[in-house]
């Protein structure tokens, strides 16, 4: 064995040296055109059942569009029943693997999983000092999701003293957080915030404390402490036995999003939504006979077969010209809902909301089903205002709710992770909550006074700006907007403002196509001028 290792060193060193010079030598040459892929290196244990560990990391990164190389720290024998054996690799082997990858492959982000000894942690920290990367994501694997202890107590000090000070984000579950904090009891969300702040003192730039095991909670609540704020992130608790590897997957998915250029907040939100979707799609999967099965990381490859999610992810640019119907207006002008929808699609609307306050349920479902067919043929999403039941009945693309409608977290539970949820917000506090609750976009208004919605508070352009500046979600402006003032709205140029939502300026007019086209050309002009 020793001879083999020596042979490896002898043959590999010159190759490593040459390769490590390739990227710098390529700068400015024709080789620049080689396509780069976001690259995550996972430093973790192998799971023979492939639900967690290195295998989960590779699949999760692949699903996010990132390349994932792997340094194996231990080989575990495990299945859906339990962990039957853990065989740590020698520190020298871990060091060799790290050098092989980091010296050659332009890694963007390193993600860690099982680090079986303080020695391996030290080897990793030394390697990261020698080959710095853009970000370090630490999943402090100490106890498997099945409850098996995976590392010795002595390793915890290594995490605290060596690795966490180098981490951009650390993602403990409740048991791991408690272990890092010497056995602190964590039973409430307030405890979680306190614990996240304590862990932050070890040096990571962000702490994501996962509350999946929190007692008495119907939601999956995580807290993210970024050194200033403790954000409560609510997600869906998917009822399934197939949760093996969720921690590894979440951390890898965060790493992949960071490698693609996301901020920490965006990366965490995207990763949470990916894990939720994967669990949802895999909830009835039957692999293994134990209590905890793996899930399907690559479900999106098959999503079209599952016939339930034609929009795997929301495109914020769809908010550009948002048409919101009103049956009263359309009736006055002698057109049906479907005629109105077809007309605004012909004029270039990019997303439609059926806001039919007076419609009887049966008529509403029938009209929504027909409108969905039409929208499908234009490739434009169709949302339903207020009525989650109607959205479910016709399999619409999503729902728009206001502050006094069903709460976003409940809507999400009912319509599932792949659908779009919009929420009306008038203040930065509303916007923060919308994001934490898992909405996809914000409708902010009334920007101007309107007759379409009774007793609507006007927030003005300043209110719109305040919401947009604080929002982590894309925003569409609404209320009294039409061809005469859309320019002034979009020229605010605030980040996150993606478009305008309009009712009367399209539907309380004789020709919907003409009005939609007129508005669209104004929006396009502003977009071209501010490019
Ligand atoms: C895009 C968009 N933004 C805001 C609203 C208003 O929703 P809500 O506050 O629930 O009021 P109603 O539309 O239900 O009267 C919206 N519908 N669309
Ligand atoms: C439905 C709605 N929501 C608003 C809000 O402020 O959240 S204003 C509004 C009515 C928008 O109609 P019009 O384009 O005819 O002014
Ligand atoms: Mg409403």
């Amino acid at each position: 064995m020793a001879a083999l290792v020596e042979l490896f060193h002898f043959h590999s060193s010159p190759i490593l040296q040459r390769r490590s010079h390739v990227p710098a030598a390529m700068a400015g040459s024709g080789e620049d055109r080689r396509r780069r892929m976001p690259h995550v290196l996972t430093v973790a244990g192998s799971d023979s059942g492939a639900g967690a560990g290195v295998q989960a990391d590779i699949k999760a990164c692949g699903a996010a569009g990132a390349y994932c190389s792997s340094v194996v720290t231990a080989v575990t024998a495990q299945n859906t029943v339990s962990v039957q054996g853990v065989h740590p690799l020698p520190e020298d082997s871990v060091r060799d693997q790290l050098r092989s990858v980091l010296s050659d492959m332009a890694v963007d982000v390193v993600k860690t999983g099982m680090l079986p000894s303080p020695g391996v942690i030290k080897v990793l920290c030394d390697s990261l000092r020698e080959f710095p990367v853009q970000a370090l994501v630490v999943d402090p694997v100490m106890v498997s999701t099945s409850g098996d202890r995976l590392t010795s107590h002595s390793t915890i000090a290594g995490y605290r003293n060596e690795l966490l000070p180098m981490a951009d984000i650390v993602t403990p579950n409740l048991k791991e957080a408690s272990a890092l904090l010497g056995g602190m009891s964590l039973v409430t969300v307030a405890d979680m915030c306190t614990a996240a702040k304590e862990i932050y003192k070890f040096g990571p730039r962000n702490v994501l404390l996962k509350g999946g095991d929190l007692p008495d909670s119907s939601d999956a609540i995580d807290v993210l402490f970024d050194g200033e704020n403790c954000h409560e992130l609510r997600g869906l608790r998917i009822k399934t036995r197939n949760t093996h590897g969720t921690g590894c997957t979440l951390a890898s998915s965060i790493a992949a999003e960071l490698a693609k250029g996301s901020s920490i907040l965006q990366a965490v939100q995207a990763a949470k939504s990916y894990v939720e979707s994967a669990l949802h799609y895999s909830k009835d999967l039957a692999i293994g006979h134990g209590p905890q099965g793996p899930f399907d990381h690559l479900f999106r490859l098959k999503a079209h077969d599952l016939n339930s999610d034609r929009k795997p992810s929301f495109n914020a640019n769809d908010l550009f010209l948002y048409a919101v119907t009103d049956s009263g207006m359309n009736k006055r002008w002698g057109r049906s809902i479907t005629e109105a929808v077809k007309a605004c699609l012909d004029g270039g609307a990019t997303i439609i909301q059926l806001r039919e306050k007076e419609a009887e349920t049966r008529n509403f479902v029938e009209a929504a089903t027909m409108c969905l067919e039409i929208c499908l043929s234009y490739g434009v999403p169709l949302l339903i205002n207020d009525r989650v039941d109607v959205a479910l009945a016709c399999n619409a693309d999503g729902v728009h709710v206001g502050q006094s409608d069903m709460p976003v977290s409940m809507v999400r539970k009912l319509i599932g992770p792949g659908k779009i949820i919009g929420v009306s917000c008038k203040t930065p506090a509303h916007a923060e909550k919308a994001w934490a609750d898992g909405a996809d976009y914000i409708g902010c208004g009334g920007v101007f006074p309107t007759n379409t919605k009774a007793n609507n508070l006007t927030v003005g352009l300043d209110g719109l700006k305040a919401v947009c500046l604080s929002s982590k979600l894309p925003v569409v402006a609404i209320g009294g907007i039409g061809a005469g003032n859309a320019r002034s709205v979009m020229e605010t140029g605030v980040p996150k403002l993606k478009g305008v939502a309009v009712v009367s300026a399209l539907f309380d007019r004789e020709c919907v196509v003409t009005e939609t086209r007129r508005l669209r050309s104004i929006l396009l002009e502003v977009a071209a001028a501010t490019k």
Side-chain angles (χ1 to χ4, degrees), residues 8-29:
F8 172 78
H9 276 298
F10 177 77
H11 284 301
S12 64
S13 300
I15 295 169
L16 290 180
Q17 278 172 15
R18 247 185 294 129
R19 287 210 180 137
S20 66
H21 286 102
V22 169
M26 270 172 19
S29 75

Side-chain angles (χ1 to χ4, degrees), residues 53-74:
V54 161
Q55 290 83 352
D57 298 344
I58 292 174
K59 288 184 279 184
C61 289
Y67 185 85
C68 183
S69 50
S70 55
V71 164
V72 179
T73 58

Side-chain angles (χ1 to χ4, degrees), residues 65-144:
Y67 185 85
C68 183
S69 50
S70 55
V71 164
V72 179
T73 58
V75 175
T76 70
Q78 60 179 301
N79 54 23
T80 60
V81 179
S82 64
V83 180
Q84 291 91 37
V86 179
H87 303 277
L89 264 76
E91 285 162 25
D92 280 352
S93 165
V94 175
R95 187 182 292 110
D96 287 344
Q97 295 177 68
L98 282 165
R99 171 166 284 277
S100 295
V101 177
L102 289 169
S103 65
D104 171 47
M105 298 180 80
V107 170
D108 297 303
V109 177
V110 167
K111 177 259 162 188
T112 70
M114 187 200 294
L115 303 173
S117 66
V120 164
I121 291 182
K122 182 163 184 341
V123 163
L124 173 61
C125 292
D126 289 345
S127 301
L128 289 171
R129 279 186 277 272
E130 187 179 355
F131 302 103
V133 294
Q134 186 187 308
L136 172 64
V137 177
V138 174
D139 183 22
V141 175
M142 295 171 190
V143 185
S144 76

Side-chain angles (χ1 to χ4, degrees), residues 357 385-386 400-402 405 424 453:
K357 296 288 190 186
N385 176 267
D386 294 350
H400 185 98
V401 285
D405 297 320
S424 309
K453 187 171 158 65

Side-chain angles (χ1 to χ4, degrees), residues 322 324 353 355 357 385-386 400-403 405 423-424 441-444 453 476 478 501:
Y322 192 148
V324 182
Q353 180 190 137
R355 182 175 178 270
K357 296 288 190 186
N385 176 267
D386 294 350
H400 185 98
V401 285
Q403 294 296 322
D405 297 320
V423 57
S424 309
Y441 76 87
I442 282 169
C444 179
K453 187 171 158 65
V476 62
I478 188 164

